[in-house]
């Protein structure tokens, strides 16, 4: 096929470097090298036993056909009950749309809200796919440089300053990927009010919700019924490959998103939906909470170790399972550093490159979603690498 046949929007979509590094790591593993993976953002824990049993049961019972586009009613109810139990929020199941991961939730939200040529504000650094979802619908992600003083999140002042004629809304992730830092509720509230006054939309990606190690449980949904909130079973519920997530929408958007979901996706995996019902059993929640405590233990180990090795961690991450560390005292090229480290000592870290231009060369992201033993071994390897340079 001639390349001229390709849609021009592809030019606005960059490859995901994390995946490229993983490919390089896989090639080294094929040669027999032992690699410690701290690249891809995926829990090392997998679905809890009750979820696996529920999936098996669903398959045996033949519960494998399409569900409605908005998801199984009982799963929407279970998600609603989860908001009530953990966050004290009354979210009607009718506002919840079950999707194939946060990715499909973002796709549907962007399909519904992004007008060609319009601008969506988001922080730099941030999760790269978010800006590519906007690009896929021919909008422009306006990346606003944000540093440690703003916890790498947007501030109300930034939103005010960068809002233009073309701006339609803001897209935030809290806790954030790659930084593991959350936006302060009071700051978010001011942003929501500002955006509301401009008749725009606020999308908050809460995919790392549940993996917050400080403060009281919080959801942006407490700030009003006009927010669009993205969530997923991938992270807290450890179900990455099951492809299951959800959207919470303002009531008026539900029929619009439902019609998009019917056409673009039909539904999320029915087996995964039946299985996910078991996530909310008290025994499953107890196990997820134990795993969360283990993530916190790892964070508390790795942050001081990185600092000891010469990385700077200007804001201690309060959630997710990432540390975004400034490596400028070690190298002036984070990309070259991560490739060299992979080749020499078999440790996969991700350069800032994926997450936006402002920190591309100075920062690396480390995912501590790996065992404590692996983290300890990685620290020893990085120390050896730095001593040998
Ligand atoms: C901030 C953020 N949003 C969305 C996603 C997509 O996750 P999924 O589609 O597995 O739910 C990820 C995955 O890493 C993420 O970090």
């Amino acid at each position: 096929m001639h390349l001229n046949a390709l849609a021009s929007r592809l030019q606005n979509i960059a490859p995901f470097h994390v995946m490229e590094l993983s490919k390089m790591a896989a090639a080294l593993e094929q040669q027999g090298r032992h690699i410690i993976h701290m690249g891809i953002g995926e829990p090392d824990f997998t679905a809890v036993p009750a979820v696996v049993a529920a999936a098996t049961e669903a398959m045996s019972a033949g519960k494998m056909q399409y569900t409605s586009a908005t998801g199984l009613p009982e799963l929407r109810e279970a998600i609603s009950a989860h908001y009530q139990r953990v966050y004290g929020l009354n979210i009607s199941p009718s506002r919840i749309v079950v999707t194939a991961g946060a990715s499909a939730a973002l796709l549907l939200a962007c399909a519904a809200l992004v007008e060609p040529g319009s601008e969506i504000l988001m922080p730099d650094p941030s999760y790269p796919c978010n800006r590519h979802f906007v690009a896929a619908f021919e909008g422009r992600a306006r990346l606003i440089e944000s540093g440690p003083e703003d916890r790498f999140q947007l501030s109300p002042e930034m939103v005010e300053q960068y809002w233009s004629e073309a701006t339609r809304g803001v897209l935030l992730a809290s806790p954030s990927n790659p930084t593991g830092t959350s936006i302060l509720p009071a700051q978010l509230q001011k942003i929501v009010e500002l955006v509301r006054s401009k008749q725009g939309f606020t999308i908050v990606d809460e995919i790392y919700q549940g993996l917050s190690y400080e403060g009281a449980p919080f959801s942006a949904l407490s700030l009003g019924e006009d927010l669009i909130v993205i969530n997923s079973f991938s992270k807290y519920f450890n179900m990455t490959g099951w492809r299951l997530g959800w959207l919470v929408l303002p009531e008026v958007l539900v029929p619009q998103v439902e019609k998009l979901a019917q056409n673009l996706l039909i539904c999320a995996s029915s087996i995964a939906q039946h299985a996910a019902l078991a996530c909310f059993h008290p025994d499953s929640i107890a196990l997820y909470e134990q795993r969360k405590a283990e993530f916190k233990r790892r964070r508390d180990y790795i942050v001081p170790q990185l600092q000891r090795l010469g990385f700077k961690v200007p804001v201690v991450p309060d959630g997710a399972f990432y540390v975004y560390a400034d490596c400028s005292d070690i190298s002036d090229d984070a990309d070259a550093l991560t490739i060299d480290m992979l080749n020499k000592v078999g440790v996969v870290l991700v350069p800032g490159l994926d997450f936006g231009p402002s920190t591309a060369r100075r920062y690396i992201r480390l995912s501590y979603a790996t065992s404590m033993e692996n983290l300890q071994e990685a620290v020893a390897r990085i120390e050896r690498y730095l001593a040998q340079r």
Side-chain angles (χ1 to χ4, degrees):
M1 194 193 76
H2 199 280
L3 283 182
N4 278 349
L6 293 178
S8 57
R9 70 176 67 88
L10 284 175
Q11 287 160 16
N12 298 325
I13 297 184
F16 201 177
H17 288 94
V18 183
M19 300 297 190
E20 301 295 321
L21 255 140
S22 295
K23 268 198 260 172
M24 287 168 64
L28 290 175
E29 273 170 334
Q30 288 235 305
Q31 296 164 19
R33 293 271 306 276
H34 179 261
I35 306 293
I36 300 180
H37 292 270
M38 299 189 296
I40 283 196
E42 170 162 67
D44 50 325
F45 303 112
T46 54
V48 297
V51 168
V52 177
T56 314
E57 212 177 291
M59 283 192 276
S60 308
K63 296 178 177 172
M64 294 183 276
Q65 293 178 296
Y66 293 144
T67 68
S68 78
T70 48
L72 282 179
E74 52 272 47
L75 184 57
R76 297 167 80 194
E77 273 158 31
I79 294 168
S80 164
H82 183 68
Y83 278 116
Q84 182 63 258
R85 192 170 51 243
V86 183
Y87 304 94
L89 291 171
N90 185 14
I91 307 295
S92 162
S94 62
R95 291 176 56 204
I96 298 169
V97 174
V98 176
T99 56
S103 302
L106 282 157
L107 179 89
L108 292 172
C110 289
L113 295 165
V114 175
E115 195 74 308
S118 65
E119 276 187 5
I120 315 300
L121 308 183
M122 50 185 94
D124 170 9
S126 58
Y127 177 61
C129 305
N130 283 355
R131 79 185 81 106
H132 294 138
F133 281 115
V134 170
F137 292 99
E138 288 158 34
R140 282 196 308 266
R142 181 81 195 256
L143 294 179
I144 303 173
E145 183 173 341
S146 174
E149 49 307 331
D150 289 297
R151 308 181 58 73
F152 299 105
Q153 293 279 0
L154 293 184
S155 66
E157 293 74 22
M158 290 172 195
V159 175
E160 183 68 68
Q161 185 186 341
Y162 287 89
W163 196 279
S164 74
E165 284 284 290
T167 312
R168 288 294 175 98
V170 300
L171 200 170
L172 300 162
S174 182
S176 144
N177 176 4
T179 65
T181 54
S182 302
I183 189 163
L184 299 174
Q187 289 287 89
L188 182 58
Q189 179 160 13
K190 284 188 197 150
I191 292 178
V192 168
E193 283 163 8
L194 188 60
V195 171
R196 206 175 269 151
S197 74
K198 296 180 186 294
Q199 299 184 338
F201 59 80
T202 303
I203 304 177
V204 185
D205 181 348
E206 295 192 328
I207 182 169
Y208 295 100
Q209 189 176 54
L211 295 176
S212 283
Y213 311 115
E214 321 288 341
F218 173 79
S219 169
L221 290 167
S222 62
L223 300 176
E225 297 199 350
D226 53 347
L227 277 87
I228 295 117
V229 165
I230 309 283
N231 215 317
S232 176
F233 286 91
S234 288
K235 311 293 174 166
Y236 176 74
F237 296 108
N238 311 149
M239 290 175 70
T240 45
W242 299 67
R243 310 312 302 129
L244 202 62
W246 71 90
L247 259 170
V248 183
L249 296 164
E251 206 73 69
V252 287
L253 256 185
V254 176
Q256 306 300 331
V257 167
E258 179 172 9
K259 126 184 134 180
L260 285 166
Q262 287 165 344
N263 282 281
L264 301 181
L265 304 161
I266 301 190
C267 66
S269 153
S270 54
I271 300 164
Q273 292 190 63
H274 284 287
L277 287 167
C279 285
F280 302 104
H281 294 171
D283 289 354
S284 304
I285 295 287
L287 215 44
Y288 290 126
E289 286 298 303
Q290 273 174 29
R291 293 172 174 188
K292 171 182 167 174
E294 174 59 17
F295 280 134
K296 180 176 185 298
R297 192 171 79 96
R298 295 173 188 175
R299 178 201 66 167
D300 292 345
Y301 165 74
I302 199 69
V303 171
Q305 289 298 329
L306 284 173
Q307 287 166 326
R308 183 179 67 78
L309 293 173
F311 293 87
K312 286 177 283 201
V313 184
V315 210
V316 176
D318 58 281
F321 33 66
Y322 306 115
V323 186
Y324 206 47
D326 180 340
C327 59
S328 56
D329 287 349
I330 296 169
S331 165
D332 56 9
D333 185 346
D335 192 25
L337 179 72
T338 52
I339 293 173
D340 201 36
M341 224 184 253
L342 170 60
N343 285 322
K344 296 215 172 109
V345 290
V347 168
V348 188
L349 300 173
V350 186
L353 208 61
D354 269 334
F355 307 107
S358 75
T359 52
R361 294 197 163 271
R362 278 184 300 127
Y363 276 76
I364 55 97
R365 188 193 74 177
L366 177 150
S367 160
Y368 54 84
T370 187
S371 69
M372 194 60 143
E373 294 68 40
N374 276 345
L375 288 179
Q376 285 162 344
E377 172 62 16
V379 166
R381 289 189 192 187
I382 297 172
E383 190 157 21
R384 200 166 68 232
Y385 169 82
L386 294 175
Q388 281 166 5
R389 284 194 330 146

